[in-house]
Amino acid sequence: MTSTVPETTHYVPENLPTHLQHYINGSFVDSVSGKTFDVLDPVSNANYATAAAGQREDIDLAVAAAREAFVNGPWPRMKPRERARILNRIADAVEAQETRLADLESFDTGLPITQAKGQALRAAENFRFFADLIVAQFDDAMKVPGVQINYVNRKPIGVAGLITPWNTPFMLESWKLAPALATGNTVVLKPAEFTPLSASLWAQIFKDADLPDGVFNLVNGLGEEAGDALVKHPQVPLISFTGETTTGQTIFRNAATNLKGLSMELGGKSPCVVFADADLAAAIDSALFGVFSLNGERCTAGSRILVEQAIYDEFCEKYAARAQAIVVGDPHDPATEVGALVHPEHYEKVASYVELGKSEGRLLAGGGRPAHLPEGNYIAPTVFADVAPGARIFQEEIFGPVVTITAFETDAEALALANNTKYGLAAYIWTQNLTRAHTFSQNIEAGMVWLNSHNVRDLRTPFGGVKASGLGHEGGYRSIDFYTDQQAVHISLGAVHTPKFGSITTHAPQQG
Ligand code: NAD
């Protein structure tokens, strides 16, 4: 097929595919209907490829392949060590693709190339981590002396449906693929339609690592079509979803008919609370990185900064000066700190919040498209101060390089502000006071808290949100629990003392 990439001065990776197919039962295939959708790059906003648009019949084929691999294939029955060897080979292959992956990811998502580079290593680490975990995994046995021995028979569940978003797509796919596969399930992955490019690497990686055919299947397509069919498929008992809260609500409703296991990582509007006793320089570095890295398109972004009144003016001044100096530019340029937003639709959404913010707060930095970038989905890092908690830019997830700053006087006021949103994903707290640090952390409504740090992940810890930010926690053994059934097996050690129903001889009815 000829390339649809227009002549342009901006960087285009070599050997860019111009058509992306599904991968079902070990083969690359188009949709049964032949339908496709266009894929664009966020710098030129030109279509560079088409992708097969999966419909219900494509999902049916992928689920049938995954079901066959689960019921009759070797994968669920392999010894953990055998599966771990394959997972480690997958990790090696992912690492070997680091440069290529970063190139494709940066091109397709608009992420700065320096930030896209870390994604392969993090994805590989997920496979190594779960390879280790399943080999070390053991389950409980419980004894009732002389009476019973009971044990847990942990088993894979079946075909897992994995539905992922467009921000750091490859890495987020690895979060689901690694534990789902490690535990012996088979999978159907439905990647985000804005960014299908990097997901196309998985098929070859899995093939080269000798993952049996049918264990991994990928169906591209729109959420309302391919995603919806996956969620409603009766032979898919598990759905792990990462995306917007409203999409999560739709999936929750649609999964009810078949009572599926659900894991949901949803949106966020996380607070970054800076007390007057904080290490101010470190807090500013972290509060900048926390919302402007990954173009601000990160679920755990610290997008509401709350600052103690005593240092408020100094914080705002220093923070805004640094935000203004952030380098916005072509994602492929190693000097770029903020690249292009993923898609023109998303750009419009973020730009509309920037305009709204001008009436809801005091603009300290940014405020729209940078003057030197007339084309592409670029928004300058934007800072609004004096934002009241009732403002929409304080309450709603913007998912771009936009941050609000609000002052507080007391710990109680800071806590009330921090918890004053429907979301509860992450929180960042900056203070040198040990008692306050712990008290505040424990009272904050957030699934994850970082003290004196931005988001640095330990793969063993639970990952997930509370309130509208999610349902259930993955991470470490919690992922193993999500992707397995824990069957309780009870064995009698001696004679069972069973009440002998029906064994009493019938008496003649008593005369009254
Ligand atoms: P989205 O909800 O629009 O889409 C996510 C995925 O769901 C896509 O693959 C999409 O095709 C699919 N989808 C859409 N409608 C569907 C339906 N009716 N049935 C089944 N699937 C459907 O989210 P997005 O815009 O791609 O991603 C951004 C969102 O993801 C933000 O809200 C962000 O906070 C959230 N996110 C959360 C985490 C987390 O761990 N909590 C991590 C990353 C992103």
Side-chain angles (χ1 to χ4, degrees), residues 162-168 172 175 190-194 221-231 241-248 250-251 254 264-268 297-300 346 349 397 399 423 425 448 463-465 469-470:
L162 313 178
I163 303 179
T164 48
W166 47 258
N167 63 325
T168 60
L172 286 180
W175 272 15
K190 207 303 280 170
E193 55 266 46
F194 280 180
L222 308 187
E224 299 73 15
E225 297 176 352
D228 184 68
L230 188 55
V231 167
F241 168 75
T242 300
E244 279 185 20
T245 296
T246 49
T247 315
T250 304
I251 290 178
N254 289 342
M264 298 222 167
E265 310 286 4
L266 307 176
E297 297 163 323
R298 62 187 304 167
C299 53
T300 53
H346 185 59
K349 176 188 151 185
E397 185 183 44
F399 219 58
Y423 295 108
L425 190 55
M448 298 166 286
F463 186 95
S469 287

Coordinates of all heavy atoms in Angstrom, one line a residue, residues 162-168 172 175 190-194 221-231 241-248 250-251 254 264-268 297-300 346 349 397 399 423 425 448 463-465 469-470, ligand 1:
L162 N -9.0 -6.7 27.5 CA -8.1 -5.6 28.0 C -8.4 -4.4 27.1 O -8.2 -4.4 25.9 CB -6.6 -6.0 27.9 CG -6.3 -7.4 28.5 CD1 -4.8 -7.7 28.3 CD2 -6.7 -7.5 30.0
I163 N -8.8 -3.3 27.8 CA -9.2 -2.1 27.0 C -8.4 -0.9 27.5 O -8.4 -0.6 28.8 CB -10.7 -1.8 27.1 CG1 -11.5 -3.0 26.7 CG2 -11.1 -0.6 26.4 CD1 -13.0 -2.9 26.8
T164 N -7.6 -0.3 26.7 CA -6.6 0.7 27.1 C -6.7 2.0 26.5 O -7.3 2.2 25.4 CB -5.2 0.1 26.8 OG1 -5.2 -0.4 25.5 CG2 -4.9 -1.1 27.7
P165 N -6.2 3.1 27.1 CA -6.3 4.5 26.6 C -5.1 4.8 25.8 O -4.2 4.0 25.6 CB -6.3 5.3 27.9 CG -5.4 4.5 28.8 CD -5.5 3.1 28.5
W166 N -5.1 6.1 25.3 CA -4.1 6.5 24.4 C -2.9 7.2 25.0 O -1.9 7.5 24.4 CB -4.7 7.5 23.4 CG -5.5 8.6 23.9 CD1 -6.9 8.6 24.0 CD2 -5.1 9.8 24.6 NE1 -7.3 9.7 24.6 CE2 -6.3 10.5 25.0 CE3 -3.9 10.3 24.9 CZ2 -6.2 11.7 25.7 CZ3 -3.8 11.5 25.6 CH2 -5.0 12.2 26.0
N167 N -2.9 7.4 26.4 CA -1.7 8.1 27.0 C -0.8 7.0 27.4 O -1.2 6.0 28.0 CB -2.1 9.0 28.2 CG -2.8 8.2 29.3 OD1 -3.5 7.2 29.1 ND2 -2.5 8.6 30.5
T168 N 0.5 7.1 27.0 CA 1.5 6.1 27.2 C 0.9 4.7 26.8 O 0.9 3.8 27.7 CB 2.1 6.0 28.6 OG1 1.1 5.8 29.5 CG2 2.9 7.3 28.9
L172 N 1.0 1.2 29.2 CA -0.3 0.8 29.9 C -0.8 -0.5 29.5 O -1.4 -1.3 30.2 CB -1.3 1.9 29.8 CG -1.1 3.2 30.6 CD1 -2.2 4.2 30.3 CD2 -1.0 2.9 32.0
W175 N 0.9 -3.2 31.5 CA 0.4 -3.4 32.8 C -0.7 -4.4 32.9 O -0.9 -5.1 33.9 CB -0.3 -2.1 33.3 CG 0.7 -1.1 33.9 CD1 2.0 -1.1 33.9 CD2 0.3 0.0 34.7 NE1 2.5 -0.1 34.6 CE2 1.5 0.7 35.1 CE3 -0.9 0.6 35.1 CZ2 1.5 1.8 35.8 CZ3 -0.9 1.7 35.8 CH2 0.3 2.3 36.2
K190 N -7.9 -4.5 23.2 CA -8.5 -3.5 22.3 C -7.8 -2.2 22.6 O -8.2 -1.5 23.6 CB -10.0 -3.4 22.6 CG -10.8 -2.9 21.4 CD -10.5 -1.6 20.8 CE -11.0 -0.4 21.7 NZ -10.5 0.9 21.3
P191 N -6.8 -1.8 21.9 CA -6.0 -0.5 22.2 C -6.8 0.7 21.8 O -7.8 0.6 21.0 CB -4.8 -0.6 21.3 CG -4.9 -1.8 20.4 CD -6.3 -2.4 20.7
A192 N -6.4 1.8 22.3 CA -7.1 3.1 22.0 C -7.0 3.4 20.5 O -6.0 3.3 19.9 CB -6.6 4.2 22.8
E193 N -8.1 3.9 19.9 CA -8.2 4.2 18.5 C -7.3 5.4 18.1 O -6.9 5.5 16.9 CB -9.6 4.4 18.0 CG -10.4 5.4 18.7 CD -11.3 4.8 19.9 OE1 -10.7 4.0 20.7 OE2 -12.4 5.2 20.0
F194 N -7.1 6.3 19.0 CA -6.2 7.5 18.7 C -4.8 7.0 18.4 O -4.0 7.7 17.7 CB -6.2 8.5 19.8 CG -7.4 9.4 19.9 CD1 -7.4 10.4 20.9 CD2 -8.4 9.4 19.0 CE1 -8.5 11.3 21.0 CE2 -9.5 10.2 19.1 CZ -9.5 11.2 20.1
G221 N -10.0 -0.8 16.8 CA -11.3 -0.3 16.5 C -11.8 0.7 17.5 O -11.1 1.0 18.4
L222 N -13.0 1.2 17.2 CA -13.5 2.3 18.0 C -14.1 1.6 19.3 O -14.6 0.5 19.3 CB -14.6 3.0 17.3 CG -14.3 3.5 15.9 CD1 -15.4 4.3 15.3 CD2 -13.0 4.3 15.9
G223 N -14.1 2.5 20.4 CA -14.6 2.0 21.6 C -16.1 1.5 21.6 O -16.4 0.5 22.1
E224 N -16.9 2.3 20.9 CA -18.3 2.0 20.8 C -18.6 0.8 20.0 O -19.7 0.3 20.0 CB -19.1 3.2 20.2 CG -19.0 4.5 21.0 CD -17.6 5.2 20.9 OE1 -16.8 4.8 20.0 OE2 -17.3 6.1 21.8
E225 N -17.6 0.3 19.2 CA -17.9 -0.8 18.3 C -17.1 -2.0 18.9 O -17.6 -2.9 19.6 CB -17.4 -0.5 16.9 CG -18.3 0.6 16.3 CD -17.9 1.0 14.9 OE1 -16.8 0.6 14.4 OE2 -18.7 1.8 14.3
A226 N -15.8 -2.0 18.7 CA -14.9 -3.2 19.1 C -14.9 -3.3 20.6 O -15.1 -4.4 21.2 CB -13.5 -3.1 18.6
G227 N -14.7 -2.2 21.3 CA -14.7 -2.2 22.8 C -16.0 -2.7 23.4 O -16.0 -3.5 24.3
D228 N -17.1 -2.2 22.8 CA -18.4 -2.5 23.3 C -18.7 -4.0 23.1 O -19.2 -4.7 24.0 CB -19.4 -1.7 22.5 CG -20.9 -1.9 23.0 OD1 -21.1 -1.5 24.2 OD2 -21.7 -2.5 22.3
A229 N -18.3 -4.5 22.0 CA -18.5 -6.0 21.7 C -17.7 -6.8 22.6 O -18.2 -7.9 23.1 CB -18.2 -6.3 20.2
L230 N -16.5 -6.4 23.0 CA -15.7 -7.2 23.9 C -16.3 -7.2 25.3 O -16.4 -8.2 25.9 CB -14.3 -6.5 23.9 CG -13.2 -7.3 24.7 CD1 -13.0 -8.7 24.2 CD2 -11.9 -6.5 24.6
V231 N -16.8 -6.0 25.7 CA -17.4 -5.9 27.1 C -18.6 -6.8 27.2 O -18.9 -7.4 28.2 CB -17.7 -4.4 27.4 CG1 -18.7 -4.3 28.6 CG2 -16.5 -3.6 27.6
F241 N -10.0 -2.4 32.4 CA -10.2 -1.2 31.6 C -9.5 0.0 32.3 O -9.5 0.2 33.5 CB -11.7 -0.8 31.6 CG -12.0 0.6 31.1 CD1 -11.9 0.8 29.7 CD2 -12.3 1.6 31.9 CE1 -12.2 2.1 29.2 CE2 -12.6 2.9 31.4 CZ -12.5 3.1 30.1
T242 N -8.8 0.8 31.4 CA -8.2 2.1 31.8 C -8.7 3.1 30.9 O -8.6 3.0 29.7 CB -6.7 2.0 31.8 OG1 -6.3 1.0 32.7 CG2 -6.1 3.3 32.3
G243 N -9.3 4.2 31.4 CA -9.8 5.3 30.6 C -10.6 6.2 31.4 O -10.5 6.3 32.6
E244 N -11.5 6.9 30.7 CA -12.3 8.0 31.4 C -13.3 7.4 32.3 O -13.9 6.3 32.0 CB -13.0 8.8 30.3 CG -12.1 9.9 29.7 CD -12.8 10.8 28.7 OE1 -14.0 10.8 28.8 OE2 -12.1 11.4 27.9
T245 N -13.7 8.2 33.3 CA -14.7 7.8 34.3 C -16.0 7.5 33.6 O -16.7 6.5 33.9 CB -14.8 8.8 35.4 OG1 -13.6 8.9 36.0 CG2 -15.9 8.5 36.4
T246 N -16.4 8.4 32.7 CA -17.7 8.2 32.0 C -17.7 6.9 31.2 O -18.7 6.2 31.2 CB -18.1 9.4 31.1 OG1 -17.0 9.6 30.3 CG2 -18.4 10.6 31.9
T247 N -16.6 6.6 30.5 CA -16.6 5.3 29.8 C -16.6 4.1 30.8 O -17.3 3.1 30.5 CB -15.3 5.2 29.0 OG1 -15.0 6.4 28.3 CG2 -15.3 4.1 28.0
G248 N -16.0 4.3 31.9 CA -16.0 3.2 32.9 C -17.4 3.0 33.4 O -17.8 1.8 33.6
T250 N -20.2 3.4 31.6 CA -20.9 2.7 30.5 C -20.5 1.2 30.6 O -21.3 0.3 30.5 CB -20.5 3.3 29.2 OG1 -20.8 4.7 29.2 CG2 -21.2 2.6 28.0
I251 N -19.2 0.9 30.7 CA -18.7 -0.5 30.7 C -19.3 -1.2 31.9 O -19.7 -2.4 31.8 CB -17.2 -0.5 30.7 CG1 -16.7 0.0 29.3 CG2 -16.6 -1.9 31.0 CD1 -15.2 0.1 29.1
N254 N -22.7 -2.2 31.0 CA -22.8 -3.2 30.0 C -22.3 -4.6 30.4 O -22.6 -5.6 29.8 CB -22.0 -2.7 28.7 CG -22.7 -1.6 28.0 OD1 -23.9 -1.4 28.2 ND2 -22.0 -0.9 27.2
M264 N -11.1 -1.3 37.1 CA -11.2 0.0 36.4 C -10.2 1.1 37.0 O -10.3 1.4 38.2 CB -12.6 0.5 36.6 CG -13.6 -0.4 36.1 SD -14.9 0.6 35.3 CE -15.7 -0.7 34.4
E265 N -9.4 1.5 36.1 CA -8.5 2.6 36.4 C -9.0 3.8 35.7 O -8.9 3.9 34.4 CB -7.0 2.3 35.9 CG -6.5 1.0 36.4 CD -6.1 0.9 37.8 OE1 -6.3 1.9 38.5 OE2 -5.6 -0.2 38.2
L266 N -9.5 4.8 36.4 CA -10.3 5.9 35.7 C -9.6 7.2 35.9 O -8.4 7.3 36.2 CB -11.7 5.9 36.2 CG -12.4 4.5 36.1 CD1 -13.8 4.6 36.8 CD2 -12.5 4.0 34.7
G267 N -10.3 8.3 35.7 CA -9.8 9.6 35.7 C -9.3 10.1 37.0 O -9.5 9.5 38.1
G268 N -8.7 11.3 37.0 CA -8.2 11.9 38.2 C -8.1 13.4 38.2 O -8.2 14.0 37.1
E297 N -0.9 14.7 30.0 CA -1.9 13.7 29.7 C -1.5 12.5 30.5 O -1.1 11.4 30.0 CB -1.8 13.3 28.2 CG -2.2 14.5 27.3 CD -1.7 14.3 25.8 OE1 -0.6 13.8 25.6 OE2 -2.4 14.7 24.9
R298 N -1.7 12.7 31.8 CA -1.4 11.5 32.7 C -2.5 11.5 33.8 O -2.9 12.5 34.4 CB 0.0 11.6 33.3 CG 0.4 12.8 34.1 CD 1.8 12.8 34.5 NE 2.3 11.6 35.2 CZ 3.5 11.3 35.4 NH1 4.5 12.1 34.9 NH2 3.9 10.2 36.0
C299 N -2.9 10.3 34.1 CA -4.0 10.1 35.0 C -3.7 10.6 36.4 O -4.5 11.2 37.1 CB -4.5 8.7 35.1 SG -3.1 7.5 35.4
T300 N -2.4 10.4 36.8 CA -2.0 10.8 38.1 C -1.4 12.2 38.2 O -0.8 12.6 39.2 CB -1.0 9.8 38.7 OG1 0.1 9.8 37.7 CG2 -1.5 8.5 38.9
H346 N -8.9 16.3 21.2 CA -8.4 16.5 22.5 C -7.8 17.9 22.7 O -8.1 18.5 23.7 CB -7.4 15.4 22.9 CG -7.0 15.5 24.3 ND1 -7.9 15.4 25.4 CD2 -5.8 15.7 24.9 CE1 -7.2 15.5 26.5 NE2 -5.9 15.7 26.3
K349 N -10.6 20.3 23.3 CA -11.1 20.1 24.7 C -10.2 20.9 25.7 O -10.7 21.7 26.5 CB -11.2 18.7 25.1 CG -11.6 18.4 26.5 CD -11.5 17.0 26.9 CE -11.3 16.9 28.4 NZ -11.0 15.6 29.0
E397 N -11.4 17.0 35.1 CA -10.1 16.5 34.6 C -9.9 17.1 33.2 O -10.7 16.9 32.3 CB -10.2 15.0 34.4 CG -8.8 14.4 34.0 CD -8.8 12.9 33.8 OE1 -9.8 12.4 33.2 OE2 -7.8 12.3 34.2
F399 N -6.7 16.9 31.5 CA -5.8 15.9 30.9 C -4.9 16.6 29.8 O -4.7 16.1 28.7 CB -6.7 14.9 30.2 CG -6.0 13.5 30.3 CD1 -5.8 12.9 31.6 CD2 -5.7 12.7 29.2 CE1 -5.2 11.7 31.7 CE2 -5.1 11.5 29.3 CZ -4.9 11.0 30.5
Y423 N -13.1 12.9 42.2 CA -12.0 11.9 42.0 C -11.2 11.6 43.2 O -11.3 12.3 44.2 CB -11.0 12.5 40.9 CG -11.7 12.7 39.5 CD1 -12.0 14.0 39.1 CD2 -12.0 11.6 38.7 CE1 -12.6 14.2 37.8 CE2 -12.6 11.8 37.5 CZ -12.9 13.1 37.0 OH -13.4 13.2 35.8
L425 N -7.7 9.7 42.8 CA -6.6 8.8 42.3 C -5.3 8.9 43.1 O -4.9 8.0 43.8 CB -6.4 9.0 40.8 CG -5.5 8.0 40.1 CD1 -6.1 6.6 40.3 CD2 -5.4 8.4 38.6
M448 N -3.6 6.6 46.1 CA -2.2 6.5 46.2 C -1.7 7.9 46.7 O -2.1 8.9 46.2 CB -1.5 6.2 44.8 CG -1.9 4.8 44.3 SD -1.5 4.6 42.6 CE -2.8 5.6 41.8
F463 N -2.2 -0.3 42.9 CA -2.3 0.9 42.0 C -3.8 1.0 41.7 O -4.5 0.0 41.3 CB -1.6 0.7 40.7 CG -1.6 1.9 39.9 CD1 -0.6 2.8 39.9 CD2 -2.7 2.1 39.0 CE1 -0.7 4.0 39.1 CE2 -2.8 3.3 38.2 CZ -1.7 4.2 38.3
G464 N -4.4 2.2 42.0 CA -5.8 2.4 41.7 C -6.3 3.5 42.5 O -5.7 4.1 43.3
G465 N -7.6 3.9 42.2 CA -8.2 5.1 42.8 C -9.4 4.7 43.6 O -9.9 3.6 43.5
S469 N -12.4 7.6 40.6 CA -11.2 7.3 39.9 C -10.9 5.8 39.7 O -9.9 5.4 39.2 CB -10.0 7.9 40.7 OG -10.0 9.3 40.6
G470 N -11.8 4.9 40.2 CA -11.6 3.5 39.9 C -12.3 2.6 40.8 O -12.9 2.9 41.8
Ligands
NAD1 P1 -11.5 6.7 26.9 O1 -12.4 6.3 28.1 O2 -12.1 7.6 25.9 O3 -11.1 5.4 26.1 C1 -10.3 4.3 26.7 C2 -10.6 3.0 26.0 O4 -11.9 2.7 26.1 C3 -10.3 3.2 24.5 O5 -9.7 2.0 24.0 C4 -11.7 3.3 23.9 O6 -11.8 2.9 22.6 C5 -12.5 2.4 24.8 N1 -13.9 2.7 24.8 C6 -14.6 3.8 24.7 N2 -15.9 3.7 24.8 C7 -16.1 2.3 25.0 C8 -17.2 1.5 25.3 N3 -18.5 2.1 25.2 N4 -17.1 0.2 25.6 C9 -15.9 -0.3 25.6 N5 -14.7 0.4 25.4 C10 -14.8 1.7 25.1 O7 -10.2 7.2 27.6 P2 -9.0 7.9 26.9 O8 -9.5 9.3 26.4 O9 -8.4 7.0 25.9 O10 -7.9 8.1 28.0 C11 -7.8 9.1 28.9 C12 -8.5 8.8 30.2 O11 -7.9 7.6 30.8 C13 -8.4 9.9 31.3 O12 -9.6 10.1 32.0 C14 -7.3 9.3 32.2 O13 -7.3 9.9 33.5 C15 -7.6 7.9 32.2 N6 -6.5 7.1 32.6 C16 -6.5 6.5 33.8 C17 -5.4 5.8 34.3 C18 -5.4 5.2 35.7 O14 -4.6 4.3 35.9 N7 -6.3 5.5 36.6 C19 -4.3 5.7 33.5 C20 -4.3 6.3 32.2 C21 -5.4 7.0 31.8

